[in-house]
Amino acid sequence: DAKTTQPTSMDCAEGRAANLPCNHSTISGNEYVYWYRQIHSQGPQYIIHGLKNNETNEMASLIITEDRKSSTLILPHATLRDTAVYYCIVLTFNAGGTSYGKLTFGQGTILTVHP
Amino acid sequence: SAVISQKPSRDICQRGTSLTIQCQVDSQVTMMFWYRQQPGQSLTLIATANQGSEATYESGFVIDKFPISRPNLTFSTLTVSNMSPEDSSIYLCSVVLRAEAFFGQGTRLTVV
């Protein structure tokens, strides 16, 4: 699976948008971009994923550049409960592949939302 | 979605002993994954557990230290054997359903 690069930490004011960048310059054509977050002492929580089109769900938006070498996770109105470590992961879920379902976690971005 | 229950949620164990962690899923899944998260670190995959076959271990992890059982499509166990303080970590199981990975809440293990 391709490796990702994320900033170590970011701050955001409550109510403002949090924009978390991720570089994945070696991503291959069949690899998706996934975002998970881990709130202290809990298991990782799925946020969103995408292949090449921008995606939006009830939690966040995912913007993927046209060359797919980077992406940005957007939390439109950050709250104090969004304080967590955010992981950007690229992988394929092609059935039968040796990497199927395996997530390779980097160090992630520690997002701190301030009042 | 999938709901994953792990037991125990936490334990304090004596060095040299073993602990078996259970993972129960509310859906039938082909593969289950076991991760370790050492203090202040990210998650690292230990092994992939397929029902009906031997688990596949990642580099740095061996079956003698982390034996895994997978008796059916909804259950798996991970045993941490002959524990030392370096095994103090959070251990998490994970499953994949419809291109989304779900995680249990983890087992926080402290070895003293």
Side-chain angles (χ1 to χ4, degrees):
Chain A
D1 293 334
K3 296 211 185 297
T4 63
T5 304
Q6 298 177 251
T8 303
S9 63
M10 295 184 66
D11 291 339
C12 178
E14 189 177 20
R16 304 296 294 270
N19 298 295
L20 290 84
C22 179
N23 286 324
H24 31 80
S25 59
T26 60
I27 193 170
S28 60
N30 64 351
E31 288 184 313
Y32 286 74
V33 180
Y34 278 74
W35 283 84
Y36 282 79
R37 72 180 182 184
Q38 188 176 26
I39 297 171
H40 183 62
S41 297
Q42 298 183 21
Q45 176 191 24
Y46 167 83
I47 301 173
I48 199 168
H49 76 278
L51 183 62
K52 51 185 174 182
N53 297 322
N54 298 337
E55 302 288 343
T56 296
N57 63 20
E58 64 279 4
M59 289 182 67
S61 294
L62 175 61
I63 308 299
I64 303 174
T65 58
E66 191 169 344
D67 63 8
R68 301 207 328 121
K69 293 185 177 182
S70 66
S71 61
T72 301
L73 176 74
I74 301 172
L75 307 179
H77 305 286
T79 71
L80 299 179
R81 289 177 293 180
D82 291 322
T83 294
V85 180
Y86 287 77
Y87 296 101
C88 169
I89 301 165
V90 293
L91 77 161
T92 178
F93 278 108
N94 290 336
T98 58
S99 64
Y100 181 86
K102 297 182 188 178
L103 276 65
T104 302
F105 288 84
Q107 292 304 308
T109 296
I110 301 171
L111 175 68
T112 304
V113 181
H114 299 286
Chain B
S1 65
V3 177
I4 301 175
S5 301
Q6 271 188 246
K7 292 181 181 179
S9 59
R10 59 178 62 229
D11 207 342
I12 301 174
C13 300
Q14 296 290 323
R15 66 179 68 199
T17 63
S18 297
L19 175 71
T20 295
I21 302 168
Q22 299 179 5
C23 180
Q24 179 75 52
V25 190
D26 67 347
S27 303
Q28 293 187 335
V29 292
T30 303
M31 288 187 284
M32 296 177 75
F33 305 87
W34 287 97
Y35 291 82
R36 179 178 73 180
Q37 187 171 29
Q38 295 176 299
Q41 300 296 313
S42 186
L43 285 77
T44 300
L45 181 65
I46 298 172
T48 303
N50 291 339
Q51 194 271 332
S53 63
E54 292 273 336
T56 303
Y57 290 82
E58 299 298 306
S59 176
F61 298 96
V62 295
I63 187 171
D64 289 346
K65 177 66 177 177
F66 298 102
I68 289 171
S69 79
R70 184 77 204 276
N72 58 52
L73 291 173
T74 63
F75 187 79
S76 177
T77 67
L78 170 76
T79 299
V80 186
S81 304
N82 188 25
M83 289 183 286
S84 66
E86 291 71 34
D87 295 319
S88 296
S89 296
I90 299 174
Y91 293 85
L92 302 103
C93 69
S94 172
V95 302
V96 171
L97 277 179
R98 291 179 290 279
E100 183 177 333
F102 298 89
F103 290 82
Q105 288 305 303
T107 297
R108 184 180 294 274
L109 170 63
T110 302
V111 183
V112 298

